[in-house]
């Protein structure tokens, strides 16, 4: 019988909601374990506790609905509830695993990965990872099954009336939203960091109320990001796209290749090639991920334009010009051209039979096969005297960082890099050793291309570009990998350019992927101003100078100069310093005289929108 003083939905004799209460409790504890250690005051601790409880309950809501509407007499009721709760808890665990690696939870960017062909395979997941995940799933299911079967968690709520529970929840909501709103208004970083680390936290701000109360807003800079109109003006009408120098082009891009891997110990052959050509020592990608890095190096346009170009499926001026000039054009990748969607952007004017994607075997094996295909293509194209463009994307240096046994230069590498079970902070030295070995292997593959071009005497009429799509971080600033922050390690990359009949030189000034299209177009003899089709300039111009480099992620841009780094991206500013030096040391405010650079950036931002 039901006790009249206790609501039936929490009565000890009614276990209908037991699995919901268990899940709520477990998820709140799990969230709290990640956020409570960040608190440094009583108020921030209260905020962390209330946020964890409320978010744990919110994420358990689907299971609560199942508890309410699944017939208690249904044959598989308990099994269904346990499966639902298991999925909910596994999603939460995976969310925090993702955050530990990359600094963000499941979002529209991750949705793009899992919903786009080739996206999941691009993550580099190993069979051992899936096996670990299977064991974790079984363990979570058994835990929930035992609780649902034997532990009367609902007794915790036995003495709570419905009205008291509702009142407590309302009070908790008002408390944590008020604290967050004030923290956001006053840049109270402790609370903001706790909210950032609360999975799928829903922020509520009250700027208008605080202004009316006379509270002073504490912000360094406003947020400036590209506001898309959806209509492109690219290239503007009347731009001269003719070329007079029909050089061949060999374009080599390595996944996650950061600048300091280009050294005589790790990559001796590439180091020698760099010193015989144009080497740019302070060069930055146009993104902290493949999408924006590749977009910038081919279009010379800020990555925040990616979405407009994807919708329009507009090819870059550079490749369109080569196609119009009758070039033989082929591209190879050891990943997929569908993720990111380069088949609809960068290479959208390529016939599909000219895009070669190899996903069989380990990434190092794919790279080896693709180099052979590239050399075979150049052999045929050079014999018929028609200029050619060739592109190859290397995957060896992408996590899990793969290499054959003969390419091991650092034997202290982590043998099994498992995204689910590996403690990244503890094993980061071994993980970086894997990266060094894969970079050494990459050097061997680059050398095959360099040797071919030299042996066939093609260097006298071929432009060669060697660079990375973005960098890779190994916990130097608290993160592993890329796509999470605009740190030096995630954004600075090597750049080597061979230009026929040009003396070797080392360039120390700030440079950007955005300058590559303008440089290639000028070497090809195009006379149009680079400002008509890009945000870049000719790197080889004797008057070349760049005040700032713009780097993009999925959510916006960052501005880098020799004196400071200003993060404008809505996501990027949450992970790391909003204002820092170029090499990521915190700054209290922007240096004097920085306003001119910022104003120029804002002025040029909408250039290619109608």
């Amino acid at each position: 019988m039901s006790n009249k003083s206790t609501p039936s939905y929490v009565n000890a004799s009614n276990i209908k909601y037991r699995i919901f209460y268990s899940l709520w409790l477990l998820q709140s504890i799990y969230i709290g374990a990640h956020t409570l250690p960040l608190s440094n005051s009583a108020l921030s601790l209260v905020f962390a506790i209330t946020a964890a409880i409320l978010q744990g309950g919110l994420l358990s809501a689907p299971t609560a609905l199942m508890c309410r509407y699944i017939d208690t007499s249904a044959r598989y009721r308990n099994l269904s509830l346990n499966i639902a709760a298991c999925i909910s808890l596994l999603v939460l665990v995976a969310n925090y695993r993702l955050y530990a690696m990359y600094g963000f939870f499941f979002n529209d960017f991750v949705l793009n990965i899992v919903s786009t062909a080739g996206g999941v395979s691009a993550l580099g997941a190993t069979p051992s990872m899936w096996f670990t995940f299977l064991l974790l799933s079984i363990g979570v299911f058994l835990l929930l099954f035992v609780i649902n079967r034997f532990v009367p968690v609902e007794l915790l709520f036995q003495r709570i009336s419905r009205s008291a529970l509702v009142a407590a929840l309302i009070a908790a909501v008002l408390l944590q939203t008020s604290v967050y709103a004030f923290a956001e208004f006053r840049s109270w970083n402790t609370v903001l960091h706790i909210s950032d680390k609360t999975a799928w936290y829903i922020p509520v701000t009250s700027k208008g109320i605080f202004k009316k109360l006379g509270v002073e807003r504490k912000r360094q800079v406003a947020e400036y990001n590209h506001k898309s109109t959806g209509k492109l003006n690219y290239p503007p009408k009347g731009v001269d796209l003719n070329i007079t120098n029909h050089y061949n082009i060999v374009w080599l891009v390595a996944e996650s290749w950061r600048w300091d891997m280009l050294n005589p110990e790790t990559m001796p052959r590439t180091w020698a090639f760099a010193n015989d050509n144009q080497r740019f020592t302070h060069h930055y990608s146009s993104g902290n991920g493949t999408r924006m890095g590749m977009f910038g190096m081919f279009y010379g346009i800020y990555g925040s334009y990616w979405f407009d170009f994807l919708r329009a499926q507009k090819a870059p001026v550079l490749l369109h010009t080569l196609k119009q000039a009758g070039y033989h054009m082929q591209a190879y990748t050891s990943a997929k051209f569908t993720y990111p969607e380069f088949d609809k952007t960068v290479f959208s004017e390529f016939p599909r039979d000219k895009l070669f994607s190899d996903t069989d075997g380990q990434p190092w094996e794919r790279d080896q096969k693709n180099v052979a295909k590239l050399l075979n293509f150049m052999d045929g194209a050079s014999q018929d005297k028609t200029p050619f463009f060739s592109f190859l994307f290397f995957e060896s240096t992408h996590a899990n960082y793969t290499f054959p046994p003969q390419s091991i230069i650092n034997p202290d590498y982590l043998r099994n890099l498992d995204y689910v079970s590996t403690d990244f902070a503890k094993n980061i030295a071994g993980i970086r050793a894997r990266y060094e070995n894969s970079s050494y292997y990459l050097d061997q593959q680059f050398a095959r291309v360099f040797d071919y071009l030299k042996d066939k005497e093609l260097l006298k009429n071929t432009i060669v570009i060697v660079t990375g799509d973005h960098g890779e971080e190994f916990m130097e600033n608290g993160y592993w990998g890329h796509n999470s922050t605009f740190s030096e390690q995630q954004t600075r990359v090597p750049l080597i350019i061979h230009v026929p009949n040009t003396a070797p030189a080392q360039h120390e000034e700030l440079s950007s992927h955005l300058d590559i299209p303008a440089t290639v177009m000028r070497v090809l003899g195009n006379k149009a101003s680079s400002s008509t089709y890009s945000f870049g300039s000719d790197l080889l111009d004797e008057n070349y100078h760049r005040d700032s480099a713009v780097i993009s992620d999925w959510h916006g841009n960052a501005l880098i100069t020799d004196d400071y780094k200003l993060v404008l991206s809505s996501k990027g500013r949450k992970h790391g310093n909003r204002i820092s030096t170029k090499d990521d040391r915190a700054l209290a405010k922007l240096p004097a005289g920085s306003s001119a650079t910022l104003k120029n950036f804002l002025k040029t931002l909408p250039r290619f929108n109608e």
Side-chain angles (χ1 to χ4, degrees):
M1 294 180 63
S2 175
N3 188 334
K4 293 184 179 180
S5 64
T6 305
S8 61
Y9 72 102
V10 291
N11 195 288
S13 64
N14 186 352
I15 65 168
K16 184 175 182 179
Y17 287 90
R18 177 180 292 181
I19 193 64
F20 161 63
Y21 293 132
S22 301
L23 181 62
W24 185 355
L25 182 63
L26 288 172
Q27 295 198 138
S28 297
I29 292 173
Y30 194 82
I31 294 170
H34 290 85
T35 58
L36 267 62
L38 299 175
S39 59
N40 59 4
S41 66
L43 188 57
S44 63
L45 178 61
V46 170
F47 173 80
I49 293 172
T50 55
I53 292 173
L54 292 172
Q55 204 67 5
L58 183 62
L59 298 178
S60 305
T63 303
L65 292 175
M66 291 186 66
C67 290
R68 179 175 179 81
Y69 291 110
I70 289 183
D71 186 354
T72 56
S73 63
R75 183 176 181 182
Y76 299 109
R77 173 185 177 276
N78 285 349
L79 178 62
S80 301
L81 291 176
N82 275 285
I83 291 175
C86 180
I87 292 172
S88 180
L89 195 51
L90 285 172
V91 167
L92 184 64
V93 172
N95 241 329
Y96 277 98
R97 198 62 181 157
L98 183 68
Y99 188 96
M101 291 190 293
Y102 301 116
F104 52 81
F105 297 112
F106 289 136
N107 53 22
D108 53 344
F109 172 67
V110 181
L111 180 62
N112 175 264
I113 292 176
V114 300
S115 63
T116 305
V120 174
S121 61
L123 296 176
T126 61
S128 65
M129 188 211 78
W130 294 115
F131 180 72
T132 304
F133 183 75
L134 176 62
L135 293 180
L136 176 64
S137 301
I138 293 172
V140 169
F141 179 82
L142 291 176
L143 171 66
L144 289 166
F145 181 83
V146 169
I147 291 175
N148 187 33
R149 183 78 174 176
F150 301 109
V151 182
V153 179
E154 71 280 358
L155 292 178
L156 294 172
F157 298 86
Q158 181 171 317
R159 298 182 179 279
I160 304 175
S161 67
R162 182 189 297 272
S163 58
L165 182 60
V166 171
L169 290 174
I170 292 175
V173 170
L174 292 175
L175 175 62
Q176 64 95 14
T177 53
S178 299
V179 172
Y180 176 85
F182 184 78
E184 193 277 336
F185 193 79
R186 291 285 297 169
S187 294
W188 185 7
N189 286 331
T190 300
V191 169
L192 296 180
H193 288 163
I194 291 171
S195 68
D196 288 342
K197 212 166 183 179
T198 302
W200 290 332
Y201 182 80
I202 303 172
V204 176
T205 60
S206 303
K207 299 180 181 67
I209 294 176
F210 289 121
K211 286 180 181 179
K212 290 179 180 179
L213 293 174
V215 179
E216 180 184 359
R217 181 148 173 81
K218 185 180 179 182
R219 277 293 188 204
Q220 299 287 355
V221 291
E223 296 169 20
Y224 299 109
N225 281 312
H226 174 61
K227 304 300 182 183
S228 169
T229 66
K231 296 181 180 179
L232 287 173
N233 180 29
Y234 175 86
K237 294 179 181 179
V239 175
D240 177 18
L241 299 180
N242 294 317
I243 59 174
T244 56
N245 305 322
H246 292 78
Y247 291 125
N248 305 316
I249 299 175
V250 176
W251 201 306
L252 308 177
V253 178
E255 169 71 51
S256 307
W257 188 33
R258 59 188 253 175
W259 89 99
D260 56 355
M261 286 298 100
L262 181 57
N263 62 68
E265 291 77 29
T266 308
M267 305 188 73
R269 295 295 305 278
T270 309
W271 176 259
F273 185 80
N275 289 323
D276 287 339
N277 291 285
Q278 310 301 309
R279 177 182 169 223
F280 298 84
T281 61
H282 288 84
H283 185 79
Y284 287 84
S285 174
S286 47
N288 62 5
T290 301
R291 177 181 283 100
M292 304 311 180
M294 283 279 289
F295 181 80
M297 80 169 74
F298 277 99
Y299 289 86
I301 293 177
Y302 305 150
S304 49
Y305 274 89
W306 162 268
F307 306 97
D308 287 343
F309 277 83
L310 177 58
R311 281 190 292 268
Q313 300 196 19
K314 179 80 73 171
V317 158
L318 172 58
L319 297 187
H320 176 78
T321 301
L322 297 179
K323 181 181 178 182
Q324 296 300 110
Y327 272 61
H328 281 321
M329 303 176 73
Q330 287 196 177
Y332 305 86
T333 180
S334 297
K336 290 188 176 181
F337 285 111
T338 56
Y339 184 82
E341 303 91 336
F342 297 133
D343 59 329
K344 298 176 182 177
T345 50
V346 176
F347 304 111
S348 59
E349 291 189 356
F350 277 51
R352 291 300 172 262
D353 62 353
K354 302 299 181 183
L355 296 176
F356 296 90
S357 175
D358 192 328
T359 58
D360 293 330
Q362 291 292 310
W364 69 264
E365 296 173 303
R366 304 174 211 161
D367 287 347
Q368 188 178 71
K369 290 184 289 182
N370 275 329
V371 170
K373 295 173 187 175
L374 171 64
L375 301 185
N376 184 61
F377 163 72
M378 290 193 293
D379 206 39
S382 59
Q383 288 181 20
D384 68 10
K385 307 302 181 182
T386 301
F388 63 82
F389 167 89
S390 58
F391 168 84
L392 176 50
F393 189 86
F394 294 82
E395 191 78 359
S396 299
T397 43
H398 187 285
N400 290 318
Y401 319 121
T402 61
F403 46 87
Q406 59 268 29
S407 296
I408 297 173
I409 58 171
N410 188 337
D412 297 325
Y413 66 92
L414 183 66
R415 265 46 180 185
N416 181 35
L417 176 52
D418 185 327
Y419 290 167
V420 176
S421 62
T422 299
D423 184 329
F424 292 97
K426 182 179 179 180
N427 292 283
I428 199 63
I431 295 172
R432 177 173 171 130
R434 290 186 66 94
Y435 181 66
E436 292 170 356
N437 292 337
S438 68
S439 295
Y440 182 74
Y441 176 74
L442 176 67
D443 179 66
Q444 296 172 311
Q445 299 311 304
F446 281 160
R448 293 172 63 195
V449 181
F450 303 152
D451 289 344
Y452 175 89
L453 293 170
K454 183 178 180 180
D455 293 343
K456 298 294 183 179
E457 299 185 346
L458 286 174
L459 289 174
K460 62 185 178 182
N461 65 342
T462 301
I463 300 168
V464 183
I465 297 168
V466 188
T467 190
D469 57 345
H470 51 79
E472 191 83 339
E473 183 175 337
F474 293 93
M475 295 292 182
E476 290 90 348
N477 297 282
Y479 295 100
W480 167 64
H482 53 273
N483 260 322
S484 53
T485 75
F486 293 98
S487 67
E488 186 91 338
Q489 291 76 20
Q490 293 192 33
T491 59
R492 188 174 167 190
V493 296
L495 175 64
I496 308 163
I497 302 180
H498 167 78
V499 178
N501 306 312
T502 304
Q506 181 170 294
H507 306 266
E508 302 286 351
E509 64 272 11
L510 178 69
S511 60
S512 167
H513 269 6
L514 302 175
D515 299 313
I516 296 178
T519 305
V520 175
M521 287 289 279
R522 187 58 57 88
V523 173
L524 293 175
N526 181 264
K527 302 299 183 182
S529 170
S530 60
S531 64
T532 60
Y533 58 82
S534 79
F535 290 115
S537 302
D538 178 8
L539 288 164
L540 303 180
D541 190 298
E542 61 181 10
N543 297 316
Y544 173 84
H545 175 72
R546 173 173 282 281
D547 291 326
S548 64
V550 175
I551 305 173
S552 306
D553 67 6
W554 184 270
H555 301 274
N557 301 303
L559 195 67
I560 293 182
T561 74
D562 286 328
D563 300 318
Y564 66 88
K565 180 185 298 179
L566 172 62
V567 176
L568 304 171
S569 161
S570 59
K571 177 177 77 70
R573 71 174 185 271
K574 295 180 179 179
H575 307 292
N577 301 307
R578 180 73 180 271
I579 304 171
S580 67
T581 61
K582 187 170 64 172
D583 57 352
D584 305 302
R585 288 176 287 113
L587 287 176
K589 60 181 180 180
L590 286 172
S594 60
S595 59
T597 301
L598 182 56
K599 286 179 180 178
N600 183 63
F601 165 70
L602 298 175
K603 181 180 179 180
T604 61
L605 194 55
R607 179 184 296 169
F608 296 104
N609 272 135
E610 293 180 355

